[in-house]
Structures are given as C-alpha cells and as structure tokens.
C-alpha cells in the first residue's frame, strides 16, 4: 500500500507581487494570528456558528513575489515530495510573467495543482484564459477585493479536491502495481509449467524409446535361441515364433524360456509349456507377477482359439495380434527354416 495515502497536503502557494496580499492570505488561512480570529468571527456571523467550537484546520502558506519564483517553489516541492495542493496566483505581476503565463508554466511541471487566479481587472476574458490554458476543472477565478470567507472556502474546497484526486490516483497506482505483480507471478508460473511439460514430454519419449528397444532386444534374443532347435512343418515354425514373441512381453526366467523354445515348435507342446508355467506361478509371492503369469497362460491358450484346423496359421496370427495389440514380426530365422523345408 502506498504510504502517501496516509498523509494529506494543506500546502498553499501564494504568487503575488504585492507583499500586503501575502500578509492578508496568511491572516485568513495561517495557523495563528489575529487575522484568523477575525476570519472566524466573520464566519460565525455569516453562518450562525460559535467561535467556541473546535478551530478548523489551518493551512501551510508559502509565498512567491513573481511567477518565476513560484515555478521554482513548485518544482522544489515536487522534488521534496511535498507538493502544493493549490495556489492563489495574481493576474498582473510586472515586470515578470502574468498570471496566465505563470499557471501555464507551473502546469507543465505539476498538472494536478489546483489554482485560483486573483484579479481586479478585466484585461483577460474567460475565453482568453481558456484559449491559453484549455478547458479545465483545476482553475477558478477570485475577484479582488476578495472576501475572507470566500478565500477560506476556496482553500478548503480546492485542497480537499486535490487530496481526494491524489488519493484516487495513488490507489489506482497501487492497483496497477498489484495487477502487474500478479501478472508477472502468473507468467513465471506459466514458464515453469511449460518447462515441466517439455521435460515430461522428453521423459515420456525416452521411456517409449526404451520400452521399444527392450521389446526389440528381448524378441531378438528369444528368436536367436531357437536357431538350433527348430523342427517340424511351417505351422509349428510359425506357432513357435508367435509363442516366442508373446513370451517376450513378460519377464520369464531362463528355464521357462528354454521350455518354451523346446516345446513351442512341437505338436501338443502346449501342455508341457503350461505345466511348467503353472509350476513357476506357484513359486511366486508377488501378486503382480502372479497376475502376469496367469495372463500369459490365458493368452497361450487363446492363441489357438477358433482355428479351422491345426494348420490354420492366419487365424493364429490374427489371434496373436488381437491379444497383444502388436503386429507379428516375422523373424529372420523363420524365413531361413521355411526355405529349408522347401
């Protein structure tokens, strides 16, 4: 939260070439003095209030005798972070800038300053002033000789207006700052998520590649084991290749793999394979491993489902692909052995 919201400015700058005017403003608006008592008495008479009531807040008054001096004071106040809330500016201040020129120069540096321009003459019409300064709600005209109550009311209204406008601006600045900080926080979080997603995608690709490599390696390893033991006709050769590729999807001990390789290409070899598989399953304690062995047993049995004959190789290959979700890969050794049969 902006700490400037906690303080209000009652600072007023009087720019007039007549020192007596400065004295009058200090009597009317200053913190102490007979002028303030007189002003209070005037207010009591006008509004029917009692001077015994709590005194109204006083203003901090600074003076400048020329427009150039006033501009310097405004710039210094901004530099000190103690800006003026309003200024009373005389219209005629020879030999320097007139009031309109002074206000224009000041607003170039402090566009929020509220101004009451003081004049006893009609040498500048309102249209001339508007033409030089533009349409604005920051400017009022105070005719000389001015009334004390009118001065007091102008000072109170314009400083209050300046403070309220300043508070709104500071609150808006705080809000913009909070929105910016939250936006940056969200963007940083989004960057982290994007980085994590990229890392996760790379990790997934690496895992998929590793699984493919493992499957290929296991398939090649098990198919190489069959090079010296293949016997039988084309049907049994293909069936053996299917069993080997099916077994490659499971983690089987070497002894089971050897039984599979020896019996896979023999007629009625399923019973021997299943018997050893059941024996291996009975020795397991891990429920997940037991479930995998049961699943393999079911797939071996289902490999022969709906065969039109023991030689119905196409149905067997189709069953394999449905059971595993993979295409049957014809190993090199199978082509070699089939050529031998020819």
């Amino acid at each position: 939260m902006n700490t400037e919201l906690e303080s209000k400015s009652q600072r007023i700058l009087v720019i007039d070439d007549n020192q007596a005017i400065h004295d009058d403003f200090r009597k009317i608006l200053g913190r102490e003095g007979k002028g303030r008592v007189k002003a209070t008495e005037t207010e009591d008479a006008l509004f029917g209030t009692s001077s015994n009531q709590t005194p109204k807040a006083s203003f901090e008054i600074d003076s400048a005798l020329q427009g150039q001096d006033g501009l310097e004071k405004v710039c210094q106040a901004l530099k000190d972070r103690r800006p003026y809330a309003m200024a009373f500016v005389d219209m005629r201040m020879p030999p320097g800038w007139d009031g309109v020129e002074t206000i224009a120069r000041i607003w170039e540096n402090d566009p929020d300053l509220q101004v009451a321009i003081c004049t006893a003459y009609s040498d500048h019409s309102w249209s001339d002033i508007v033409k030089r300064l533009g349409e604005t709600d920051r400017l009022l005209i105070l005719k000389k000789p001015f009334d004390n109550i009118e001065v007091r009311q102008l000072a109170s209204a314009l400083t209050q207006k300046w403070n309220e406008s300043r508070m709104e601006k500071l609150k808006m600045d705080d809000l913009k700052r909070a929105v910016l900080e939250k936006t940056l926080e969200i963007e940083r979080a989004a960057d982290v998520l994007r980085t994590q997603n990229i890392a996760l995608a790379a990790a997934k690709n690496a895992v998929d590649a590793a699984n493919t490599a493992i499957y290929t390696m296991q398939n090649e390893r098990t198919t190489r084991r069959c090079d010296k033991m293949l016997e039988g006709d084309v049907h049994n050769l293909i069936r053996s290749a299917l069993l080997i590729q099916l077994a490659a999807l499971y983690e089987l001990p070497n002894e089971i793999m050897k039984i599979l390789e020896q019996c896979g290409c023999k007629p009625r070899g399923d019973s021997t394979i299943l018997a050893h598989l059941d024996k291996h399953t009975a020795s397991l304690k891990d429920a997940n491993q037991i479930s995998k062995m049961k699943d393999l047993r079911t797939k071996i049995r289902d490999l022969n489902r709906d065969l039109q004959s023991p030689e119905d190789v196409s149905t067997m290959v189709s069953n394999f692909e449905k059971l595993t979700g993979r295409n049957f890969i014809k190993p090199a050794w199978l082509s070699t052995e089939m050529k031998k049969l020819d």
Side-chain angles (χ1 to χ4, degrees):
M1 185 74 177
N2 201 318
T3 55
E4 294 183 44
L5 288 174
E6 299 176 1
S7 61
K8 290 185 178 182
S9 174
Q10 296 290 94
R11 302 193 73 201
I12 295 176
L13 177 62
V14 179
I15 306 175
D16 197 298
D17 61 337
N18 186 344
Q19 183 60 50
I21 297 296
H22 292 275
D23 295 339
D24 290 341
F25 274 109
R26 291 184 182 278
K27 291 176 182 178
I28 298 170
L29 301 175
R31 300 181 184 277
E32 297 177 351
K34 297 180 180 179
R36 175 62 206 141
V37 174
K38 183 178 179 181
T40 302
E41 292 174 351
T42 304
E43 294 174 19
D44 292 343
L46 180 62
F47 297 107
T49 57
S50 172
S51 59
N52 294 327
Q53 295 177 351
T54 302
K56 298 178 182 179
S58 296
F59 301 92
E60 180 181 347
I61 310 298
D62 280 344
S63 297
L65 294 174
Q66 289 292 313
Q68 293 90 332
D69 296 336
L71 176 60
E72 290 179 4
K73 286 183 177 292
V74 169
C75 292
Q76 186 61 46
L78 291 172
K79 185 177 179 180
D80 296 339
R81 301 180 65 85
R82 297 185 65 244
Y84 294 105
M86 75 159 295
F88 289 98
V89 182
D90 189 24
M91 179 63 81
R92 289 186 176 185
M93 294 181 290
W97 301 333
D98 65 7
V100 177
E101 179 69 17
T102 299
I103 295 169
R105 297 293 186 95
I106 288 175
W107 276 350
E108 289 176 359
N109 294 272
D110 186 1
D112 297 325
L113 185 68
Q114 301 290 318
V115 177
I117 189 166
C118 309
T119 178
Y121 308 96
S122 58
D123 50 342
H124 285 284
S125 67
W126 178 249
S127 59
D128 290 337
I129 295 174
V130 169
K131 185 176 180 179
R132 294 181 64 182
L133 299 179
E135 290 283 356
T136 177
D137 63 350
R138 295 166 294 161
L139 179 66
L140 293 175
I141 292 181
L142 179 63
K143 290 288 187 178
K144 294 181 179 179
F146 41 75
D147 180 79
N148 293 356
I149 298 302
E150 186 177 6
V151 171
R152 183 92 191 167
Q153 286 178 329
L154 274 177
S156 296
L158 293 183
T159 54
Q160 179 65 21
K161 179 184 176 184
W162 183 90
N163 280 293
E164 290 176 355
S165 176
R166 177 168 174 261
M167 287 183 184
E168 289 300 319
K169 183 178 180 180
L170 293 175
K171 287 179 181 178
M172 184 60 67
D173 290 343
D174 282 341
L175 180 59
K176 290 179 180 179
R177 189 179 302 109
V179 170
L180 178 60
E181 291 175 356
K182 182 58 68 174
T183 300
L184 293 175
E185 181 181 339
I186 293 173
E187 289 177 351
R188 286 193 293 268
D191 289 339
V192 172
L193 287 176
R194 279 192 291 269
T195 302
Q196 291 177 344
N197 287 337
I198 292 173
L200 287 173
K204 181 180 182 299
N205 291 336
V207 170
D208 291 343
N211 287 336
T212 301
I214 291 172
Y215 174 76
T216 302
M217 182 177 63
Q218 290 178 337
N219 186 48
E220 291 175 352
R221 182 185 63 191
T222 54
T223 54
R224 283 195 299 269
R225 289 176 181 174
C226 297
D227 287 346
K228 297 182 180 180
M229 65 87 184
L230 289 174
E231 298 175 357
D233 54 18
V234 174
H235 163 263
N236 286 326
L237 287 173
I238 294 177
R239 184 177 183 281
S240 177
L242 290 170
L243 284 172
I244 290 171
Q245 290 192 24
L246 179 61
L249 301 174
Y250 297 81
E251 297 178 2
L252 295 175
N254 290 334
E255 59 268 27
I256 300 297
M257 291 299 298
K258 289 179 180 179
I259 295 297
L260 179 67
E261 294 166 353
Q262 293 169 2
C263 300
C265 58
K266 295 180 180 180
R268 295 177 296 279
D270 282 2
S271 59
T272 303
I273 293 172
L274 294 176
H276 282 82
L277 192 60
D278 290 341
K279 182 178 178 181
H280 172 65
T281 303
S283 67
L284 296 174
K285 295 182 180 180
D286 183 78
N288 187 41
Q289 292 294 326
I290 293 173
S291 176
K292 285 184 176 181
M293 293 305 101
K294 290 182 178 180
D295 182 64
L296 175 59
R297 192 182 195 286
T298 300
K299 284 184 169 61
I300 291 174
R301 184 190 61 212
D302 291 342
L303 200 60
N304 296 313
R305 177 173 294 179
D306 300 326
L307 298 183
Q308 301 298 320
S309 67
E311 293 77 28
D312 189 0
V313 175
S314 61
T315 302
M316 188 177 296
V317 171
S318 177
N319 287 341
F320 169 84
E321 293 177 346
K322 290 179 181 178
L323 290 170
T324 63
R326 298 172 180 268
N327 293 326
F328 171 56
I329 302 174
K330 186 177 180 181
W333 61 261
L334 178 57
S335 299
T336 302
E337 293 300 323
M338 289 178 64
K339 288 180 180 179
K340 290 179 182 180
L341 292 175
D342 294 338

